[in-house]
């Protein structure tokens, strides 16, 4: 099995998006690690899109827990990306609050549907946070290999936050 670095985007503190483009078609699967913190004291959602597609081609389901409340998740067509709840961490505490989203996509280099999974966690105070896990599907009407990944936040992304893409073979 191989796990190879394919690209990284690093925030400069002035934008709400990060994009890794030019992803080579050299592996079977992708793993995307998003470490994103907002420039405000509130955690928020982040939207992940592939190949610049903001259409209704994304599906997501799973479970999330916030504090002591458990929620079921089901995205409907037309969401324009995978909207991962509270995956842009809070800028609270005067430092980096925990915020991490990990996405695994199968068959990224082929022109077929791309199933996957995700995990995310964030903290918006010392006692309140969220964890989520679920399945993903990119079901484009014109299937294509994945060549770019974009993260769009609700707030400006703090400098030095990253999304990193790895290729996986087995």
């Amino acid at each position: 099995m191989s796990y190879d670095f394919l690209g990284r985007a690093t925030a400069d503190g002035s934008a709400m998006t990060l994009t890794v483009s030019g992803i080579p078609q050299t592996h079977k699967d992708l793993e995307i690690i998003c470490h994103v913190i907002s420039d405000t004291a509130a955690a928020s959602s982040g939207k992940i899109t592939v190949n610049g597609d903001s259409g209704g081609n994304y599906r997501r389901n799973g479970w999330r827990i916030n504090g002591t409340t458990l929620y079921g998740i089901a995205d409907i067509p037309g969401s324009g990306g995978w909207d991962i709840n509270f995956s842009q961490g809070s800028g609270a505490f005067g430092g980096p609050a925990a915020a991490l989203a990990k996405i695994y996509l199968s068959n990224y280099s082929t022109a077929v549907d791309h199933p996957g999974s995700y995990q995310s966690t964030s903290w918006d105070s010392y006692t309140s946070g969220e964890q989520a896990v679920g399945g993903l599907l990119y079901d484009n009407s014109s299937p294509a290999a994945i060549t770019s990944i974009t993260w769009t936040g609700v707030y400006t992304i703090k400098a030095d936050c990253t999304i990193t893409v790895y290729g996986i073979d087995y």
Side-chain angles (χ1 to χ4, degrees), residues 73-98:
I73 301 168
D75 282 350
I76 57 173
S79 61
W82 295 305
D83 191 1
I84 312 258
N85 299 55
F86 296 106
S87 55
Q88 183 172 2
S90 166
F93 319 130

Side-chain angles (χ1 to χ4, degrees), residues 73-166:
I73 301 168
D75 282 350
I76 57 173
S79 61
W82 295 305
D83 191 1
I84 312 258
N85 299 55
F86 296 106
S87 55
Q88 183 172 2
S90 166
F93 319 130
L100 180 70
K102 179 178 169 183
I103 297 116
Y104 190 94
L105 295 174
S106 299
N107 303 320
Y108 86 97
S109 62
T110 60
V112 298
D113 295 340
H114 305 286
S117 62
Y118 76 96
Q119 300 168 247
S120 67
T121 185
S122 73
W123 291 91
D124 52 2
S125 72
Y126 285 111
T127 58
S128 177
E130 174 154 318
Q131 293 77 42
V133 62
L136 303 169
L137 177 64
Y138 180 58
D139 184 15
N140 193 348
S141 57
S142 301
I146 294 174
T147 58
S148 69
I149 303 286
T150 299
W151 169 279
T152 303
V154 174
Y155 302 108
T156 299
I157 301 167
K158 277 191 169 184
D160 300 323
C161 290
T162 61
I163 60 171
T164 307
V165 178
Y166 297 93

